[in-house]
Amino acid sequence: MSNKLKNIMKKEDREIKLREYLIDLGGSLTSTYTANGKHLEDEVVARIINAERSNREEKLWIIAFISAIASVISALAAWIAVANLLK
């Protein structure tokens, strides 16, 4: 759970803040209403946690890409070193 979500959960008027935060993360509020028109807080919080996780995981491809480039550069350097030894 992120610090922002923890801070929202401490407040008394958290229903509105939770909805706004979920929308900011790109989540959906569909099927989160009760019969009296209020949001199911547990469902909204679960969606926020999933959206935060998704956003974190989305950025991991950058790290993987940089790692792949570093591996290629390392392999090229090793190949050049071996080629220079064989001369």
Side-chain angles (χ1 to χ4, degrees):
M1 188 180 298
S2 70
N3 288 334
K4 184 168 185 173
L5 182 56
K6 287 179 186 177
N7 290 336
I8 292 172
M9 293 301 289
K10 291 177 186 176
K11 298 178 181 177
E12 290 184 22
D13 61 337
R14 61 186 177 214
E15 181 182 355
I16 295 169
K17 299 284 186 191
L18 286 171
R19 284 187 291 175
E20 290 173 352
Y21 187 45
L22 179 59
I23 291 170
D24 286 344
L25 290 172
S28 172
L29 291 170
T30 56
S31 302
T32 61
Y33 292 98
T34 62
N36 61 2
K38 289 218 166 225
H39 283 282
L40 294 170
E41 185 175 288
D42 293 338
E43 179 64 26
V44 174
V45 169
R47 290 182 186 199
I48 287 172
I49 290 171
N50 285 335
E52 288 175 340
R53 182 181 306 126
S54 175
N55 289 343
R56 272 193 314 269
E57 290 171 354
E58 192 173 284
K59 295 174 186 171
L60 287 177
W61 73 268
I62 295 171
I63 295 170
F65 185 71
I66 291 171
S67 176
I69 290 173
S71 295
V72 168
I73 291 171
S74 176
L76 284 173
W79 183 73
I80 291 170
V82 168
N84 284 335
L85 286 176
L86 296 176
K87 286 184 180 180

